[in-house]
Amino acid sequence: MGNMNKNKKSLKAIQIICLLVASLFMLIQMFNLKGIAARANFSFVRFMPNMLHNATLMIVPMIFGAVYSKKKQIISESLKYWLLGSVTLIVYYILFFFIVPTRFNMWRVWGMLFPIITSTSVLFSGLIFCLLIQPHLYDFLHKLTIKQNLLVLSLLTLLGFSLSAGNLSFQYSLYGLYLVLFFAWGMFLANVHIGKKLLIISLISGFLSFFIVIIGVSGFDAVYWSQIISGNGGGDWNREFLNNPSSPFMFLLVVAVFLLFKKVIMTFNKKQMRYFIPVIMIMDAPISPRFMRAFQFTDSSIVSKLVLLVIMLLIVIVWYQLLDRYLFQINPFAKMINYLDNEPDLAKICEKVWALFTKFIVTNRVNLLTWAWFYILSFGSFLIESDNLRIQISTASTINAIVYLLGTKFFAMILTTIFLDALFSIFYFVTTRYWTSNILVSLIAIGWAVANKIKLILRGEPIYPTELSEIVNWKTLIPMIGKTTVIVILVALVVVIALDIFLELKFPVKKRGSWKRRGIWALLSLLLFVTPLRFNHDGGVIYHINRGFDNKQRFRNPERDIQVNGPVLNFLNYIDLQIMDQPEGYSETSIKQLNNKYEKVAARINKKRKNTLKDQTIVFNLSESFVDPSTFPTIRFDRDVPNPVKFIQSMKSRSTYGNMLSAGYGGGTANMEWETLTGLNMGMFKSTLTPYVQIVPNYDFYPTIGMNFDYKSAVHPFIGTYYSRQEDYHRFKFDKFIYVGSKYKIIDQKKLGKSGYNSDFTTYANGLKEINSRNGGQFINLISIQNHMPYNNWYPNNEYMGKISGELFKSPAVRDQMATYVKGTQYTDKAVEQFIKQIDKIQKPITLVFYGDHYPSIISQNYTAKYPVQMHSTRYFIYSNKYARQHGAKTRLPRRANNFVSSSDFIAMMLEQTDSKVTPYQALLTEVHKRLPAITINFKGDKGFELIGRQGQVIEPKYLTKKQQEVLADYEAIQYDMTAGKAYGLKIKGFYK
């Protein structure tokens, strides 16, 4: 009796040791062993992780087959496996998302909830298949003799290798069916007596197979790469076919290990086998390598991994004890297990499940169909924003929209669907009418998508939340989108209203739920619409969940953003923009220190300068959409047409002249205006925004170059409500804003041809009037409108019509628009020439800073990937009149140093050209212009700024000198202070003014 107890204890100890060793053997595969092995000195070591994993795929089903070979299994055992695996996976993923929130995404959640159909673990799926098939395998194996079983299983093993040639990847759950073969081998070997002689032969063959695999895989790898290098093929076969689970040599190796431990294996029971399910899920979960890297206990990587391995082993042991004790006692699970215990027929179980599923579908058909419709709406809204069913997935490539959206942006469309359903819930609570609520949502979704598409076509950018206030300018918006479009919209509205009435009368839908339930859903829906306020707050829960739905806004390429995120999410992403990250050490003290620093720089600069800025007349002239037509990519003009901008090109010899980098394409006028007036730069922002709307209104006073003058005004021969100009100019302390409809009359209103915009002749006439209205110095912000889109063949007798060609001008519509645009630049050229002649006659110092704000939206924005700098470069010049030159102003600054500049450089350049003294802030701008390449937005569409050299080349920030990096940091700190910070600089007397 004592010996029996002693033997039982010994057996128990052996079992525990084997279970622990097996657990460690499997858990070690959580780590990225391939990365570790790749650094080994011996080539064969690189293939050991694959060998380890493949051996696990084979030996585990074999062991399970042996343990479950004693009798037929009931179907509830498969359910228990599935419950153990799924619950483990859910808890594991939740813990992972908590520790590494940046890795949250809905595809991982999908894999967590549906581990089999998402191929989370081939081994887990294979074991489920094995247990479902086990009763049939049991009958089959018992019908055959030992020799017949051996023959069938051997043939199947060899057949698997010969048919696949070792190319089975075992990446998908379907390959779990192949593991049934090893499960069958385990069932067979468990009931066969293996003599000592046969065991020795098996161990020797396994030992030899091990070396064959080790040496063979390394050898074939060398052959593979020699073929690749020599150009003789080498990409169409698996160089690791000996290391594949279908390999006979791997099979012999695994059988040897199985037979060596067969006696111990046969002592295991089902409960002990279930213990391995959590181990398998943790081993195979795709998140495991990243989860393991999240912990570092010591400086030694190896020690840290060993500590973590032991911790994970202890966690798994405790976790399984909890699952085994409580999981199967949970009421719903207990009922399912009880049902399966009493129903052995798998076909009847499938019938039962199908009946329950169809009942659920019928009961919830209205909700499901509503969801399906909103998903279709979501999908449709994404498609509308595509460019001829192509989506710009990067700045350099496009992809089929349908394939991309259904295959990659599934969850972004799901998130859009959630917001549409939330909107429906709100409408439904208010109206209590199903069809009315549904049609309202549909109308909003499609209408919003179409409205965004129209703006994309016209301006190359979507509708921003800040632009909703522009609806007050509907009279000027209608001509831009066209009367035909407006008529189509009105007709569509009439049709939709009629359809709503018809559906409500003929096919009324019964109210869903009580008013309390609908009220709760409406309240939750309202709360959902609050979440966009946290979409851009890096590190927050809502931030990570939003990005987990693949709603990732980059804010640098608006056209690409709306195509990949859809019009609804794109709009929500802009509701609460994060302007800039706070620089390290930012405080009132640090800004005062910068003032002290640049006071000294200003003093050094001012020693060499004679003029005072406020005595000058400075005109900053934004020429709407002006680009020298000859600089358009691939453009060609017929020889018989005149140079449209001959005079402006002639300014190269008598002014500071070159290329200005624009932060916009087809739009962004107010942003360029803001850069020139403030000296700050759009590239420093985290996202695309409009400072006039989202930054300036946050301050009672906002510093601009105009504050250095006793008198400052703005002239714009168009309506003045766009981009909150009226309000912002008041914050700039401008004395006057002259626009169409203001109390100050726009004189000489002249429109060219059929154009609805005032011409540049009108702009300069009003600018000249302002110049002559005062004897002393003043600042004028002069904004033209003539060359604003659209370009609808405004001008009669246009000599450029039909005279333009080029790779990017193959479409007749594009050529006609371009001809209209070029004719407009010719008129601009003549108006500028006239204005220059007029100011040259005036006996006071006048300096004109002329610049185009952005390219016109004629060429598709997609081409900016191919011509990033070129299609963001406009023409500029800084001209000082004769009187100014006679009193210290320069004719031009060094040409080479000013070929490519940012519009934020104009203040520093103007001050240097007029030989004017500077403030500490202007000294900083001078240092930025002199020492740094031109700063602009990242033209690749990524976050952060980009640096462009004086010849148009991109310069990596890492190549900046220490002094340049210091100046850049100072500039960033000041911009933060006046955009997202507390404006400490305004409190420092003399810093800006």
Side-chain angles (χ1 to χ4, degrees):
M1 190 72 176
N3 288 333
M4 287 181 63
N5 290 333
K6 189 175 181 180
N7 290 336
K8 285 183 179 180
K9 289 181 180 180
S10 299
L11 179 62
K12 190 71 174 177
I14 293 172
Q15 284 182 329
I16 292 172
I17 292 171
C18 288
L19 288 172
L20 293 176
V21 171
S23 299
L24 290 171
F25 176 80
M26 296 167 74
L27 289 174
I28 198 173
Q29 297 179 54
M30 293 185 299
F31 298 100
N32 184 15
L33 298 179
K34 290 183 180 180
I36 298 172
R39 297 191 292 270
N41 294 326
F42 300 100
S43 62
F44 71 86
V45 177
R46 297 201 306 269
F47 306 101
M48 292 299 291
N50 269 348
M51 189 175 181
L52 179 65
H53 179 69
N54 292 335
T56 305
L57 285 177
M58 301 168 73
I59 190 71
V60 171
M62 201 174 285
I63 293 171
F64 274 71
V67 174
Y68 284 92
S69 66
K70 297 165 187 176
K71 65 176 183 178
K72 287 185 180 182
Q73 298 300 313
I74 53 179
I75 297 174
S76 63
E77 190 69 11
S78 300
L79 176 63
K80 290 177 180 178
Y81 272 37
W82 182 82
L83 289 173
L84 288 168
S86 296
V87 172
T88 298
L89 206 61
I90 289 171
V91 173
Y92 188 33
Y93 269 76
I94 291 173
L95 183 63
F96 173 76
F97 294 144
F98 179 77
I99 293 174
V100 194
T102 56
R103 296 289 174 165
F104 174 81
N105 70 58
M106 288 304 297
W107 288 112
R108 287 193 174 97
V109 173
W110 189 257
M112 172 188 81
L113 297 175
F114 304 99
I116 295 178
I117 64 174
T118 56
S119 302
T120 298
S121 170
V122 175
L123 182 54
F124 174 71
S125 302
L127 292 176
I128 297 289
F129 298 151
C130 289
L131 285 179
L132 289 173
I133 298 173
Q134 193 272 349
H136 304 286
L137 273 178
Y138 184 88
D139 289 337
F140 178 77
L141 293 175
H142 280 77
K143 286 180 182 179
L144 303 179
T145 64
I146 292 177
K147 290 183 178 180
Q148 288 172 333
N149 277 318
L150 181 62
L151 179 63
V152 170
L153 292 174
S154 298
L155 287 174
L156 288 173
T157 303
L158 292 172
L159 187 65
F161 177 72
S162 60
L163 291 177
S164 69
N167 273 313
L168 295 179
S169 62
F170 291 88
Q171 294 177 343
Y172 306 105
S173 292
L174 189 62
Y175 286 100
L177 291 171
Y178 191 85
L179 302 185
V180 175
L181 176 61
F182 303 117
F183 186 83
W185 270 110
M187 292 181 69
F188 167 70
L189 293 174
N191 294 292
V192 174
H193 174 70
I194 305 296
K196 187 175 182 180
K197 183 178 180 180
L198 192 59
L199 177 61
I200 292 173
I201 293 172
S202 177
L203 293 176
I204 292 173
S205 64
F207 185 74
L208 293 174
S209 295
F210 174 76
F211 284 101
I212 290 172
V213 173
I214 287 294
I215 297 171
V217 171
S218 299
F220 281 119
D221 182 64
V223 173
Y224 175 89
W225 283 110
S226 67
Q227 289 181 337
I228 292 287
I229 295 170
S230 64
N232 296 322
D236 54 354
W237 61 286
N238 176 18
R239 61 191 186 275
E240 292 188 46
F241 69 93
L242 293 177
N243 195 7
N244 195 269
S246 63
S247 166
F249 296 102
M250 283 292 293
F251 173 73
L252 291 174
L253 172 62
V254 169
V255 167
V257 175
F258 175 85
L259 294 178
L260 186 63
F261 294 98
K262 179 184 173 182
K263 286 186 178 180
V264 180
I265 291 171
M266 295 309 298
T267 63
F268 289 148
N269 55 43
K270 291 191 293 185
K271 185 175 181 181
Q272 289 166 323
M273 290 298 97
R274 291 180 201 141
Y275 157 79
F276 282 107
I277 299 302
V279 177
I280 290 169
M281 299 313 295
I282 293 174
M283 174 189 76
D284 275 348
I287 62 172
S288 287
R290 181 61 186 83
F291 184 76
M292 296 302 107
R293 292 199 300 271
F295 302 95
Q296 186 71 32
F297 299 105
T298 66
D299 294 334
S300 171
S301 176
I302 294 176
V303 173
S304 187
K305 284 180 171 61
L306 290 174
V307 171
L308 186 56
L309 192 62
V310 172
I311 292 173
M312 290 303 296
L313 178 61
L314 294 174
I315 289 174
V316 167
I317 293 171
V318 173
W319 175 244
Y320 174 70
Q321 295 299 322
L322 291 172
L323 290 178
D324 182 60
R325 184 169 182 178
Y326 298 109
L327 180 62
F328 306 137
Q329 306 302 318
I330 297 174
N331 193 43
F333 299 155
K335 286 182 177 179
M336 286 190 286
I337 291 170
N338 183 61
Y339 169 75
L340 294 177
D341 285 343
N342 296 293
E343 181 53 80
D345 191 336
L346 183 59
K348 290 184 178 180
I349 294 171
C350 291
E351 287 180 9
K352 178 74 172 178
V353 171
W354 178 253
L356 292 172
F357 175 74
T358 53
K359 182 181 179 182
F360 172 81
I361 295 294
V362 171
T363 304
N364 297 279
R365 62 187 180 279
V366 174
N367 292 340
L368 294 173
L369 287 172
T370 303
W371 256 85
W373 170 242
F374 289 157
Y375 184 81
I376 293 171
L377 277 180
S378 172
F379 180 57
S381 69
F382 275 72
L383 283 182
I384 287 171
E385 309 308 331
S386 66
D387 187 8
N388 295 321
L389 293 183
R390 302 291 295 180
I391 282 183
Q392 186 183 16
I393 57 172
S394 70
T395 54
S397 60
T398 63
I399 192 173
N400 180 276
I402 296 174
V403 172
Y404 177 72
L405 293 175
L406 295 178
T408 305
K409 301 298 292 186
F410 175 78
F411 283 109
M413 290 189 291
I414 287 290
L415 184 58
T416 300
T417 304
I418 291 172
F419 276 102
L420 292 180
D421 189 70
L423 189 61
F424 170 82
S425 296
I426 296 169
F427 287 155
Y428 191 57
F429 177 73
V430 174
T431 67
T432 70
R433 301 285 182 178
Y434 174 84
W435 289 114
T436 301
S437 303
N438 195 316
I439 288 175
L440 276 173
V441 173
S442 304
L443 198 62
I444 290 171
I446 298 301
W448 185 249
V450 171
N452 275 273
K453 184 63 176 179
I454 291 173
K455 188 167 183 239
L456 278 176
I457 294 171
L458 297 178
R459 298 283 296 275
E461 61 183 8
I463 299 171
Y464 300 121
T466 53
E467 294 176 324
L468 292 181
S469 60
E470 304 298 340
I471 196 66
V472 299
N473 303 309
W474 62 271
K475 289 183 179 179
T476 57
L477 290 173
I478 288 176
M480 292 183 191
I481 64 177
K483 292 182 179 179
T484 303
T485 304
V486 175
I487 293 171
V488 170
I489 292 171
L490 292 175
V491 171
L493 283 173
V494 172
V495 171
V496 166
I497 292 170
L499 177 64
D500 178 42
I501 294 172
F502 172 77
L503 290 173
E504 288 289 2
L505 293 175
K506 294 292 184 179
F507 303 99
V509 176
K510 187 179 179 181
K511 293 177 184 177
R512 301 189 305 171
S514 65
W515 70 270
K516 288 184 179 179
R517 183 180 176 185
R518 285 184 280 114
I520 291 171
W521 275 112
L523 179 60
L524 292 174
S525 298
L526 286 172
L527 292 175
L528 178 67
F529 279 102
V530 175
T531 60
L533 295 175
R534 306 296 297 179
F535 273 7
N536 300 312
H537 288 252
D538 198 349
V541 174
I542 292 174
Y543 171 85
H544 290 304
I545 292 176
N546 174 53
R547 294 180 70 82
F549 273 92
D550 204 22
N551 178 28
K552 299 175 182 177
Q553 197 87 350
R554 295 191 177 184
F555 299 109
R556 286 303 190 202
N557 188 332
E559 184 174 12
R560 181 180 65 185
D561 281 346
I562 195 171
Q563 286 182 348
V564 300
N565 295 322
V568 174
L569 297 182
N570 187 77
F571 180 80
L572 296 177
N573 288 334
Y574 277 96
I575 286 178
D576 180 43
L577 291 177
Q578 297 301 290
I579 298 171
M580 290 180 70
D581 290 327
Q582 181 172 307
E584 185 177 352
Y586 170 74
S587 65
E588 186 171 7
T589 301
S590 68
I591 300 300
K592 287 180 179 178
Q593 289 172 347
L594 287 178
N595 173 63
N596 296 335
K597 176 180 179 179
Y598 286 98
E599 271 185 339
K600 297 174 183 177
V601 177
R604 187 173 68 246
I605 294 172
N606 292 338
K607 283 182 181 179
K608 300 178 181 179
R609 296 190 181 180
K610 300 177 181 179
N611 292 329
T612 301
L613 183 59
K614 71 175 183 177
D615 296 329
Q616 307 286 317
T617 294
I618 305 297
V619 181
F620 274 20
N621 174 206
L622 184 155
S623 184
E624 173 61 46
S625 301
F626 181 85
V627 179
D628 184 338
S630 66
T631 64
F632 275 71
T634 78
I635 196 168
R636 292 189 298 274
F637 293 93
D638 288 4
R639 291 183 179 180
D640 60 338
V641 297
N643 180 352
V645 290
K646 183 179 180 180
F647 177 78
I648 290 176
Q649 287 180 358
S650 74
M651 297 300 291
K652 185 174 184 178
S653 62
R654 53 199 181 111
S655 69
T656 302
Y657 178 95
N659 299 292
M660 185 208 81
L661 296 168
S662 174
Y665 177 83
T669 298
N671 293 344
M672 296 300 93
E673 186 183 341
W674 177 81
E675 282 196 350
T676 60
L677 294 178
T678 64
L680 304 177
N681 195 283
M682 296 295 297
M684 291 295 178
F685 293 134
K686 288 183 67 176
S687 55
T688 301
L689 48 79
T690 304
Y692 268 14
V693 179
Q694 290 152 310
I695 292 176
V696 176
N698 297 329
Y699 300 87
D700 293 330
F701 167 69
Y702 207 85
T704 66
I705 185 62
M707 68 187 295
N708 295 276
F709 297 83
D710 294 332
Y711 187 84
K712 47 269 181 190
S713 62
V715 178
H716 184 36
F718 194 55
I719 60 174
T721 52
Y722 278 106
Y723 301 112
S724 303
R725 279 195 179 99
Q726 294 179 19
E727 181 184 353
D728 288 348
Y729 287 165
H730 178 71
R731 284 182 164 80
F732 296 160
K733 304 301 181 186
F734 278 17
D735 296 284
K736 184 189 293 185
F737 179 25
I738 307 165
Y739 60 92
V740 174
S742 69
K743 62 182 179 180
Y744 310 105
K745 185 179 179 181
I746 294 286
I747 65 169
D748 294 346
Q749 294 196 41
K750 180 180 179 182
K751 298 176 182 178
L752 303 173
K754 299 177 184 178
S755 174
Y757 301 120
N758 277 316
S759 69
D760 283 354
F761 296 100
T762 300
T763 301
Y764 293 120
N766 284 270
L768 189 65
K769 179 185 176 185
E770 278 302 293
I771 292 173
N772 291 325
S773 67
R774 297 185 64 82
N775 293 325
Q778 62 173 312
F779 175 79
I780 303 171
N781 189 40
L782 190 61
I783 312 163
S784 75
I785 190 66
Q786 173 191 291
N787 294 320
H788 196 283
M789 50 73 58
Y791 308 101
N792 293 340
N793 194 13
W794 304 129
Y795 311 116
N797 304 317
N798 185 350
E799 64 268 41
Y800 299 100
M801 197 64 71
K803 304 290 186 177
I804 295 173
S805 59
E807 183 184 340
L808 305 188
F809 302 91
K810 293 179 179 179
S811 163
V814 170
R815 288 197 297 269
D816 289 352
Q817 288 181 58
M818 192 63 194
T820 302
Y821 172 76
V822 173
K823 185 64 177 178
T825 63
Q826 185 186 58
Y827 284 125
T828 298
D829 190 68
K830 292 177 180 178
V832 169
E833 181 180 13
Q834 178 179 302
F835 185 60
I836 292 289
K837 290 178 179 178
Q838 289 169 330
I839 63 174
D840 266 340
K841 298 175 182 178
I842 299 175
Q843 295 300 300
K844 63 179 179 180
I846 303 171
T847 294
L848 171 68
V849 180
F850 171 95
Y851 64 99
D853 56 340
H854 54 71
Y855 255 67
S857 56
I858 297 174
I859 301 174
S860 171
Q861 191 177 19
N862 289 338
Y863 289 111
T864 58
K866 189 174 182 180
Y867 308 99
V869 175
Q870 189 174 353
M871 289 181 66
H872 285 91
S873 300
T874 66
R875 188 65 74 215
Y876 85 91
F877 66 80
I878 303 176
Y879 176 76
S880 296
N881 72 342
K882 291 180 181 179
Y883 188 90
R885 297 196 301 272
Q886 292 169 357
H887 291 79
K890 297 178 175 65
T891 299
R892 61 173 177 260
L893 300 178
R895 186 174 299 160
R896 188 175 180 182
N898 297 288
N899 189 22
F900 280 89
V901 302
S902 172
S903 56
S904 58
D905 289 320
F906 286 155
I907 291 176
M909 295 170 70
M910 175 273 296
L911 288 165
E912 183 179 3
Q913 179 152 326
T914 58
D915 200 37
S916 298
K917 297 181 185 296
V918 299
T919 66
Y921 174 63
Q922 292 163 357
L924 169 61
L925 295 183
T926 302
E927 288 287 280
V928 169
H929 172 62
K930 289 290 186 182
R931 295 184 180 274
L932 296 176
I935 304 171
T936 186
I937 64 168
N938 194 309
F939 294 143
K940 293 187 290 292
D942 298 327
K943 289 184 178 180
F945 59 85
E946 195 162 65
L947 299 174
I948 305 297
R950 304 309 184 193
Q951 301 305 315
Q953 76 277 25
V954 177
I955 297 176
E956 294 294 329
K958 63 183 178 182
Y959 295 122
L960 296 179
T961 65
K962 185 176 180 181
K963 179 62 179 177
Q964 286 177 312
Q965 291 175 349
E966 182 181 310
V967 171
L968 183 61
D970 293 345
Y971 182 55
E972 185 177 6
I974 294 301
Q975 176 150 333
Y976 177 84
D977 185 52
M978 272 316 304
T979 56
K982 297 184 178 180
Y984 294 128
L986 288 179
K987 302 176 183 177
I988 302 173
K989 186 176 181 180
F991 180 67
Y992 286 107
K993 184 176 180 180

